[in-house]
Amino acid sequence: MTPKLQRLFDALVKLGFSPSEDRGELTVVVKAPEYTDACTRLRDDPTLGFEQLVDLCGIDYAAYADKPREGPRFAAVVHLLSVQHNWRLRVRAFCPDDEFPVLSSLVEVWPGVNWFEREAFDLFGIMFEGHPDLRRILTDYGFIGHPFRKDFPLSGHVEMRYDPEQRRVIYQPVTIDPREVTPRIVREPHYGEETKSG
């Protein structure tokens, strides 16, 4: 661990966090009920000063790393930046209920997280309690399901198309016929034949 990373590690421990180090980066895992308070402390403490939220993403840990995961399935991961100290931190919070994943919104802490939380809701189905406008952001409003969940079917549930008879866009069950894909091999004439030099 570099001296700079060690200083961050020590500052986090002093505030009651339990950071872990992997590949030169620190991660703090917080419990769902403490999520907002922990992030507020990380922002407001002058020794840390994580004034900028760089990213928030949802994660589905079902079959993570090619093996079934024990414990909660869904998590939100926040990447923070302290410009004044020039260090970064990853904060992970697991949703306690796999059937209805919910975490507190961080909009009051970092207003810029608004669209990131909407994306995690849309793609993973993670609800952010207290979010001012939690609605889909990337998929259509009539879209069924959450496409980044690992149990979401690859072809989806419904498709949309324009119906010329009804003169409008309609939704219908997916009609993809399975087919065998055989690659076409193109070779030049006389490929592989020995040439005579001479």
Side-chain angles (χ1 to χ4, degrees), residues 128-197:
F128 291 93
E129 192 172 34
H131 191 283
D133 187 20
L134 194 62
R135 59 191 161 105
R136 292 191 180 272
I137 191 169
L138 295 173
T139 60
D140 185 63
Y141 293 126
F143 192 85
I144 298 171
H146 303 283
F148 278 15
R149 287 188 174 189
K150 294 200 176 158
D151 55 0
F152 189 80
L154 294 179
S155 62
H157 297 288
V158 294
E159 64 186 10
M160 94 180 165
R161 67 174 179 84
Y162 180 77
D163 187 343
E165 293 175 8
Q166 297 181 32
R167 299 176 66 186
R168 66 182 185 93
V169 174
I170 63 167
Y171 290 90
Q172 65 187 34
V174 174
T175 57
I176 297 174
D177 295 325
R179 62 188 171 120
E180 185 176 326
V181 179
T182 306
R184 182 172 166 237
I185 300 171
V186 179
R187 293 200 173 112
E188 299 168 1
H190 311 294
Y191 174 82
E193 294 179 5
E194 291 185 30
T195 59
K196 295 180 183 178
S197 57

Side-chain angles (χ1 to χ4, degrees), residues 53-71:
L53 180 138
V54 177
D55 187 24
L56 178 143
C57 57
I59 297 182
D60 181 356
Y61 282 104
Y64 185 75
D66 297 327
K67 59 185 174 192
R69 179 170 174 82
E70 296 175 9

Side-chain angles (χ1 to χ4, degrees), residues 13 21 24 29 81 84-85 89 111 113 122 127-128 141 153 179:
V13 170
E21 188 265 338
V29 178
L81 170 66
Q84 61 182 328
H85 299 294
L89 179 68
V113 77
D122 191 5
M127 302 292 293
F128 291 93
Y141 293 126
R179 62 188 171 120

Side-chain angles (χ1 to χ4, degrees), residues 2-162:
T2 64
K4 181 173 149 186
L5 201 62
Q6 186 65 51
R7 285 196 309 275
L8 174 58
F9 186 93
D10 295 340
L12 288 165
V13 170
K14 196 176 281 187
L15 283 174
F17 293 102
S18 300
S20 61
E21 188 265 338
D22 186 27
R23 296 180 183 91
E25 298 175 350
L26 292 181
T27 302
V28 171
V29 178
V30 297
K31 295 179 181 170
E34 302 164 3
Y35 182 50
T36 306
D37 292 337
C39 288
T40 304
R41 284 185 11 232
L42 290 168
R43 180 196 65 188
D44 294 342
D45 187 276
T47 59
L48 296 174
F50 288 103
E51 67 270 2
Q52 186 172 353
L53 180 138
V54 177
D55 187 24
L56 178 143
C57 57
I59 297 182
D60 181 356
Y61 282 104
Y64 185 75
D66 297 327
K67 59 185 174 192
R69 179 170 174 82
E70 296 175 9
R73 176 178 171 181
F74 297 102
V77 176
V78 178
H79 296 97
L80 304 178
L81 170 66
S82 173
V83 176
Q84 61 182 328
H85 299 294
N86 190 25
W87 52 36
R88 295 173 183 267
L89 179 68
R90 180 182 303 111
V91 178
R92 181 181 299 127
F94 287 94
C95 303
D97 184 6
D98 291 347
E99 296 301 314
F100 188 67
V102 178
L103 286 172
S104 298
S105 176
L106 296 178
V107 169
E108 295 297 321
V109 184
W110 294 287
V113 77
N114 185 331
W115 284 34
F116 296 125
E117 288 181 347
R118 285 181 61 187
E119 181 184 48
F121 160 70
D122 191 5
L123 300 178
F124 291 95
I126 299 172
M127 302 292 293
F128 291 93
E129 192 172 34
H131 191 283
D133 187 20
L134 194 62
R135 59 191 161 105
R136 292 191 180 272
I137 191 169
L138 295 173
T139 60
D140 185 63
Y141 293 126
F143 192 85
I144 298 171
H146 303 283
F148 278 15
R149 287 188 174 189
K150 294 200 176 158
D151 55 0
F152 189 80
L154 294 179
S155 62
H157 297 288
V158 294
E159 64 186 10
M160 94 180 165
R161 67 174 179 84
Y162 180 77

